[in-house]
Amino acid sequence: MPGRPEKKVSAVSASRAPYATLRGRLPDFPWDKLAPYKATAAAHPDGIVDLSVGTPVDPVPALVQRALTEAADSPGYPTVWGTAALRDAITGWAGRRLGAEGLGHENVLPVVGSKEFVAWLPTQLGLGPGDRVAYPRLAYPTYEVGARLAGAAYEAYDDPRALDPEGLRLLWLNTPSNPTGQVLPQEELARIVAWARAHGILVVSDECYLELGWEAEPVSVLHPQVSGGSFEGLLSVHSLSKRSNLAGYRAAFVLGDAALLGDLLQIRKHGGMMIPATTQAAAVAALGDDQHVEEQRRRYATRRTALRTALLAHGFRIEHSEASLYLWAGRGESCWDTVSHLADLGILVAPGDFYGPAGENFVRVALTASDERIAAAVARLT
């Protein structure tokens, strides 16, 4: 009686190695570490006050919602460069708000949220082994992630002008800072730009919180007193997520060096990296209206005052925090001890070491919760 026939194994499938991905270049996603603390905070009888991620909770401005709805019948493909109306809105806003002079459409690149641009810029610049990327000692983790994805070397700095310029291709600035809220003065920005230009280093300034200054007035790297009236070697990154509550729309843009943005535009065309037509229309409305930004600023200012007062009364010290949507607070202990302490009170915050080892004794406290939840946090702290 014949036996069961042997199963034939394809020579191709037997010899093929597992698919190679970029996953091995990346650290574990840091926010996953907060899960048990979130569960603790959520168990509070009055519910969680989530001050960790910093996602907007207030309504999208009505004029922006109307613009989105009116553009809903958009069956065709949008363009990567965006509509002329969007580019006009961006340059108009930048001239009005940043004091940037002489911007044209060639100085504009719409992007699908600022995080996407930050993560993929080193790759799109063609960086790799032998190239270096530098960013602040306390910084948004995606600066490092972008360098890792490209296979470039990366390092943190206290003073960028103390860096070895050899092989340094990309210098990230972040003002106002995430997580600390620190603002770089105009004079310091000008010195950094002059140093970078002398060494042929691209400066990219992440300015997504620029319209949220409290105790200092943030200045763009494109301001003529910083740039010297030239955009060469400079890029400025902006987002509508926080100032207009549009995090869910993924609307951001980059301004600056026309030659470089032209190259990036061609690369992004090949990759299909385009903002939906509805979001483009919404962005035009948001950039053309300053009133809703001032209204949102007032909301955040009230929440900031309440939280700051309560944290100080609870024994925290607060450093920097002169701008942005965060308070950089510590109690002279491990950030994770502080996270645990606040979770027991039903308050979730971000541990400072998410932003580098220098943050190990601080937490980042976001202002992005409703007035009712902010009041609940204040009551638990006092």
Side-chain angles (χ1 to χ4, degrees), residues 257-276:
D257 189 312
L260 178 55
L261 289 178
D263 283 351
L264 293 175
L265 174 61
Q266 297 305 316
I267 293 167
R268 295 169 68 85
K269 283 181 178 179
H270 283 289
M273 303 175 85
M274 60 190 77
I275 300 176

Side-chain angles (χ1 to χ4, degrees), residues 153-278:
Y154 51 88
E155 60 189 285
Y157 64 78
D158 294 307
D159 177 358
R161 291 176 296 157
L163 292 164
D164 179 359
E166 183 66 30
L168 181 58
R169 300 280 306 281
L170 171 57
L171 176 66
W172 283 105
L173 304 180
N174 183 205
T175 179
S177 164
N178 173 17
T180 69
Q182 183 179 17
V183 173
L184 293 178
Q186 177 180 296
E187 298 77 11
E188 177 64 11
L189 282 171
R191 287 191 288 267
I192 293 169
V193 167
W195 175 84
R197 281 177 168 163
H199 295 288
I201 301 165
L202 173 64
V203 174
V204 185
S205 183
D206 181 347
E207 301 172 353
C208 288
Y209 297 93
L210 185 135
E211 293 189 272
L212 294 165
W214 311 115
E215 298 164 5
E217 185 62 34
V219 178
S220 173
V221 75
L222 300 186
H223 190 283
Q225 295 299 314
V226 175
S227 69
S230 168
F231 304 132
E232 183 179 356
L234 301 177
L235 295 180
S236 170
V237 184
H238 294 272
S239 169
L240 301 185
S241 293
K242 304 300 178 11
R243 49 93 75 187
S244 297
N245 300 330
L246 298 189
Y249 284 44
R250 310 316 301 140
F253 52 91
V254 185
L255 295 156
D257 189 312
L260 178 55
L261 289 178
D263 283 351
L264 293 175
L265 174 61
Q266 297 305 316
I267 293 167
R268 295 169 68 85
K269 283 181 178 179
H270 283 289
M273 303 175 85
M274 60 190 77
I275 300 176
T278 48

Side-chain angles (χ1 to χ4, degrees), residues 58-64 93 96-97 208-214 217 239-246 253 282-301 325:
D58 298 303
V60 172
L63 81 164
V64 177
W93 172 86
R96 187 173 74 247
R97 186 62 188 84
C208 288
Y209 297 93
L210 185 135
E211 293 189 272
L212 294 165
W214 311 115
E217 185 62 34
S239 169
L240 301 185
S241 293
K242 304 300 178 11
R243 49 93 75 187
S244 297
N245 300 330
L246 298 189
F253 52 91
V284 171
L287 288 166
D289 178 72
D290 295 330
Q291 181 178 345
H292 79 272
V293 181
E294 288 305 313
E295 291 173 356
Q296 190 60 44
R297 277 178 52 85
R298 287 194 289 271
R299 292 187 190 107
Y300 284 136
L325 287 182

Side-chain angles (χ1 to χ4, degrees), residues 101-190:
E101 300 172 352
L103 286 167
H105 287 196
E106 69 276 10
N107 302 111
V108 172
L109 180 66
V111 295
V112 192
S114 58
K115 184 171 185 175
E116 169 263 303
F117 180 79
V118 171
W120 292 108
L121 178 61
T123 297
Q124 293 175 5
L125 290 173
L127 304 191
D131 299 318
R132 292 165 50 234
V133 175
Y135 46 81
R137 182 75 58 192
L138 283 165
Y140 185 43
T142 311
Y143 305 139
E144 177 185 324
V145 166
R148 285 173 174 260
L149 287 169
Y154 51 88
E155 60 189 285
Y157 64 78
D158 294 307
D159 177 358
R161 291 176 296 157
L163 292 164
D164 179 359
E166 183 66 30
L168 181 58
R169 300 280 306 281
L170 171 57
L171 176 66
W172 283 105
L173 304 180
N174 183 205
T175 179
S177 164
N178 173 17
T180 69
Q182 183 179 17
V183 173
L184 293 178
Q186 177 180 296
E187 298 77 11
E188 177 64 11
L189 282 171

Side-chain angles (χ1 to χ4, degrees), residues 273-330:
M273 303 175 85
M274 60 190 77
I275 300 176
T278 48
T279 295
Q280 292 187 34
V284 171
L287 288 166
D289 178 72
D290 295 330
Q291 181 178 345
H292 79 272
V293 181
E294 288 305 313
E295 291 173 356
Q296 190 60 44
R297 277 178 52 85
R298 287 194 289 271
R299 292 187 190 107
Y300 284 136
T302 300
R303 294 165 187 170
R304 178 180 183 272
T305 298
L307 273 176
R308 181 185 177 91
T309 301
L311 288 166
L312 290 172
H314 198 75
F316 282 87
R317 74 179 189 277
I318 296 174
E319 293 191 1
H320 302 302
S321 306
E322 59 257 30
S324 84
L325 287 182
Y326 311 106
L327 294 170
W328 188 240

Side-chain angles (χ1 to χ4, degrees), residues 27-54:
D28 292 335
F29 191 62
W31 292 97
D32 293 343
K33 299 178 185 178
L34 268 185
Y37 301 95
K38 185 173 185 177
T40 297
H44 190 278
D46 187 38
I48 188 173
V49 179
D50 192 342
L51 307 178
S52 60
V53 176

